[in-house]
Amino acid sequence: MQNPQSQQATDVIIETRNVSRVYPGVTALDQVNYRVYRNKVNVLIGENGAGKSTMMKMLAGVETPSSGEILLEGKPVSLTSTQQAEKRGISIIFQELNLFPNMNVMDNIFIANEFFQRGVINEKYQYALAKTLLERLELDVDPYAALGELGIGHQQLVEIARALSKDTRVLIMDEPTSALSQSEVRVLFNVIEQLKRRGVTIIYISHRLEELMEIGDHITIFRDGRFISEREVRDASVPWIIEQMVGDKKKHFDYHAAAQGDTILQVEGLTALHQNGGYKLNDVTFSLRKGEVIGIYGLLGAGRTELFKGLIGLMHCQSGSVLLNGENLAKRNFQQRLKRGIALVPEDRQAEGVVQLMSITANMTLSDLSLRGFRRALRMLNPGKENQRVNEMIGHLAIKVSDAELPITSLSGGNQQKVVLGKALMTGPKVVLLDEPTRGIDVGAKTDVYHLIGNLAQQGLAVMFSSSELDEVMALADRILVMADGRITADLPRAEATREKLISASTPQA
């Protein structure tokens, strides 16, 4: 009979031994021993900056260890490219979308993995296979559709379809549900169960603890670049997970209503049309007061992002009005609205929030250079003032960074999100729009964002945020607007909002 230790070794498909990854000024991973169990959903969790994504990049061949070794099926391997990893059966779905918006859906699914027949791409076969993959994900999209025309949630499903198109033994999913609606999450969970039955091992990273408890078999926790603990999910609890994640850094958030002042934002009949018919926004009307926090809840495609873009001037609206302190902004462009006091933190951090080739400092001050006096005579930059403001914002938002002149890409996803938040606050806004501000952020960092929202309201700013998490909206908002099909279907004060009312109002009516 096989002893438990040898049985456990047989069950391990990937193992790292004393793996470290060091960047200039930052140790992302420190002597980590990590095990991935065969034919299981291996949940990996930790705060932003804990090293999760760095570890996944090494397993997928994107990064190489500074020291230590990676074992696959008990044998050391060198994974120096994604192609090498994929040849060994390891595929990854990145937290940040890795797609080409100027190409169609089918070409995105099969790029660098095309099917050739007599030296020519077999487009008919690829179309049929793409159609099948999309149907498995219950995504009703033509494979010839332009990817850039899809919402971020549907693009996420295309990313998943691409991973499923490969001969994969180990599939890494880094925050796969961060942009998905609840119904799409259920579809993904069904796909994961199918993959397990086919013998595929899953590594699953998420900050949504309820997801991890539902879908996971085995859980591993990282903290500050180190391995902390591992346990079977059936033997774990949410309080234990949080304690292991944050250590002695206790995180909590208590709601305190801020004193509300006069109406600062008045929106009347805001309407935006799709080019092919239908509404992006349909007669949207509401008001927002100083010190008030409004949460917007709705399913994917409900119009939350479109509303924010319409308010700040990034999307054309055919009719309706937006008044800020009584001034009609209808003829004001994005830059002018920004200068008058509306700031937006976009949902898609990578595409719309940061410039990846620039430093942390440059990203944070980008919106403010022409607005708030970072310029000397002859329009030269004032480095002293710039650095002072940046360092103040880094401390205010608790951004984990050793040097603000490092590239923005040196930060974890959650800390990049904080830089985007800092960039918005640098403009000195009166109204702050936050589109899914906690997407891809861990439990501890979420609490930081919650406190930030509360503090902004206490300072007299007006705040609107969108979220696909019911509990988050109900915990933070003074008032909740529910959207469906581009319309506001409910406007509920905090005391009257229930899960049943919000879910009912968010369901599109025939």
Side-chain angles (χ1 to χ4, degrees):
M1 178 180 290
Q2 200 172 28
N3 65 49
Q5 286 188 337
S6 61
Q7 178 65 47
Q8 187 179 54
T10 303
D11 289 342
V12 174
I13 188 170
I14 294 177
E15 183 177 4
T16 71
R17 292 180 180 172
N18 298 319
V19 162
S20 295
R21 185 65 173 99
V22 179
Y23 300 99
V26 179
T27 299
L29 290 171
D30 185 9
Q31 299 285 308
V32 174
N33 296 311
Y34 170 56
R35 291 180 290 189
V36 178
Y37 293 89
R38 189 188 314 275
N39 199 24
K40 303 285 187 182
V41 176
N42 295 265
V43 168
L44 179 59
I45 191 169
E47 291 192 270
N48 285 108
K52 308 181 302 297
S53 292
T54 301
M55 175 62 78
M56 294 307 102
K57 287 177 181 177
M58 288 193 292
L59 298 185
V62 179
E63 306 268 6
T64 54
S66 301
S67 61
E69 62 179 354
I70 299 172
L71 283 73
L72 178 63
E73 302 281 11
K75 299 178 181 178
V77 292
S78 177
L79 304 173
T80 58
S81 69
T82 54
Q83 289 80 8
Q84 279 193 2
E86 287 175 358
K87 285 180 180 178
R88 295 179 181 274
I90 303 172
S91 297
I92 185 169
I93 300 168
F94 290 102
Q95 177 181 356
E96 308 299 347
L97 297 180
N98 191 25
L99 300 170
F100 299 88
N102 59 325
M103 297 170 62
N104 65 38
V105 170
M106 181 180 73
D107 288 344
N108 269 279
I109 291 174
F110 297 110
I111 191 164
N113 193 37
E114 294 87 354
F115 290 87
F116 288 89
Q117 185 178 38
R118 298 175 183 174
V120 179
I121 293 176
N122 189 336
E123 189 169 318
K124 184 177 180 180
Y125 175 77
Q126 286 192 174
Y127 182 91
L129 182 53
K131 193 74 174 173
T132 300
L133 292 169
L134 295 171
E135 287 174 354
R136 283 180 63 189
L137 295 170
E138 297 185 17
L139 181 55
D140 185 19
V141 170
D142 189 327
Y144 283 137
L147 184 95
E149 295 179 358
L150 304 183
I152 189 170
H154 289 168
Q155 290 187 31
Q156 180 76 76
L157 292 175
V158 172
E159 183 90 77
I160 293 169
R162 181 166 69 174
L164 297 181
S165 71
K166 301 170 184 175
D167 183 19
T168 299
R169 288 192 295 158
V170 178
L171 179 58
I172 301 168
M173 295 184 167
D174 192 352
E175 292 285 349
T177 64
S178 59
L180 302 185
S181 66
Q182 291 181 348
S183 60
E184 289 167 333
V185 170
R186 302 313 315 169
V187 173
L188 177 61
F189 284 3
N190 290 335
V191 170
I192 289 173
E193 289 298 328
Q194 294 173 20
L195 292 172
K196 279 177 58 180
R197 289 195 292 270
R198 288 167 46 191
V200 177
T201 298
I202 307 292
I203 302 176
Y204 190 96
I205 300 176
S206 176
H207 296 303
R208 299 179 177 179
L209 298 184
E210 68 279 3
E211 283 184 10
L212 306 183
M213 300 301 289
E214 178 179 353
I215 198 67
D217 298 307
H218 194 89
I219 187 167
T220 303
I221 298 171
F222 284 5
R223 184 171 73 233
D224 297 329
R226 297 182 177 89
F227 169 88
I228 296 300
S229 57
E230 65 174 28
R231 182 175 287 189
E232 294 291 324
V233 170
R234 64 173 177 263
D235 298 326
S237 66
V238 170
W240 176 82
I241 292 171
I242 294 174
E243 180 183 354
Q244 298 296 304
M245 283 177 58
V246 303
D248 58 0
K249 299 178 291 182
K250 301 303 181 185
K251 303 276 187 177
H252 68 278
F253 172 77
D254 295 320
Y255 167 82
H256 296 288
Q260 295 184 15
D262 297 333
T263 296
I264 187 170
L265 186 69
Q266 183 71 44
V267 180
E268 294 283 349
L270 200 63
T271 299
L273 303 175
H274 281 291
Q275 290 182 345
N276 56 353
Y279 292 96
K280 294 180 181 179
L281 297 175
N282 186 355
D283 193 27
V284 173
T285 298
F286 69 92
S287 62
L288 176 65
R289 298 160 64 93
K290 296 177 182 178
E292 185 177 23
V293 177
I294 287 183
I296 304 178
Y297 178 72
L299 303 178
L300 189 68
R304 297 171 301 169
T305 295
E306 289 79 4
L307 174 58
F308 285 160
K309 288 185 175 181
L311 294 177
I312 202 168
L314 288 173
M315 184 185 75
H316 175 64
C317 295
Q318 280 76 19
S319 62
S321 61
V322 178
L323 278 70
L324 181 67
N325 277 331
E327 178 188 359
N328 194 336
L329 302 181
K331 295 183 180 180
R332 303 295 183 185
N333 61 25
F334 165 75
Q335 190 72 11
Q336 292 167 331
R337 297 188 191 198
L338 187 68
K339 191 171 184 177
R340 279 162 174 74
I342 302 181
L344 170 66
V345 174
E347 177 185 22
D348 192 341
R349 175 171 61 243
Q350 291 298 316
E352 300 176 336
V354 302
V355 180
Q356 298 187 34
L357 298 179
M358 296 174 68
S359 69
I360 297 163
T361 293
N363 268 281
M364 194 175 288
T365 59
L366 195 60
S367 291
D368 203 26
L369 288 176
S370 61
L371 300 180
R372 299 199 63 233
F374 279 143
R375 296 182 181 274
R376 287 175 173 164
L378 302 179
R379 303 181 66 79
M380 297 293 288
L381 289 176
N382 182 338
K385 188 172 183 180
E386 184 179 34
N387 291 334
Q388 178 185 350
R389 294 279 284 118
V390 168
N391 289 330
E392 288 173 356
M393 193 62 70
I394 286 173
H396 179 57
L397 298 178
I399 301 174
K400 294 180 181 178
V401 55
S402 59
D403 184 351
E405 296 308 314
L406 288 172
I408 187 73
T409 51
S410 67
L411 299 181
S412 66
N415 283 301
Q416 288 185 33
Q417 179 74 338
K418 288 184 179 181
V419 171
V420 180
L421 284 163
K423 180 174 69 172
L425 297 180
M426 282 279 198
T427 65
K430 302 180 182 70
V431 175
V432 182
L433 310 176
L434 306 170
D435 196 359
E436 292 280 4
T438 62
R439 184 170 74 87
I441 290 181
D442 65 76
V443 173
K446 276 187 178 182
T447 308
D448 292 338
V449 174
Y450 297 164
H451 281 293
L452 174 64
I453 290 173
N455 290 339
L456 293 176
Q458 294 291 340
Q459 295 166 24
L461 276 68
V463 181
M464 289 184 69
F465 74 96
S466 72
S467 177
S468 54
E469 297 186 29
L470 266 177
D471 292 339
E472 187 168 85
V473 175
M474 296 177 70
L476 292 176
D478 301 313
R479 198 164 110 238
I480 300 173
L481 305 181
V482 183
M483 295 191 70
D485 292 334
R487 297 181 299 109
I488 292 179
T489 54
D491 185 341
L492 300 170
R494 179 185 182 90
E496 296 178 16
T498 64
R499 296 178 65 89
E500 293 74 18
K501 287 181 180 179
L502 298 180
I503 292 172
S504 176
S506 68
T507 306
Q509 301 297 315

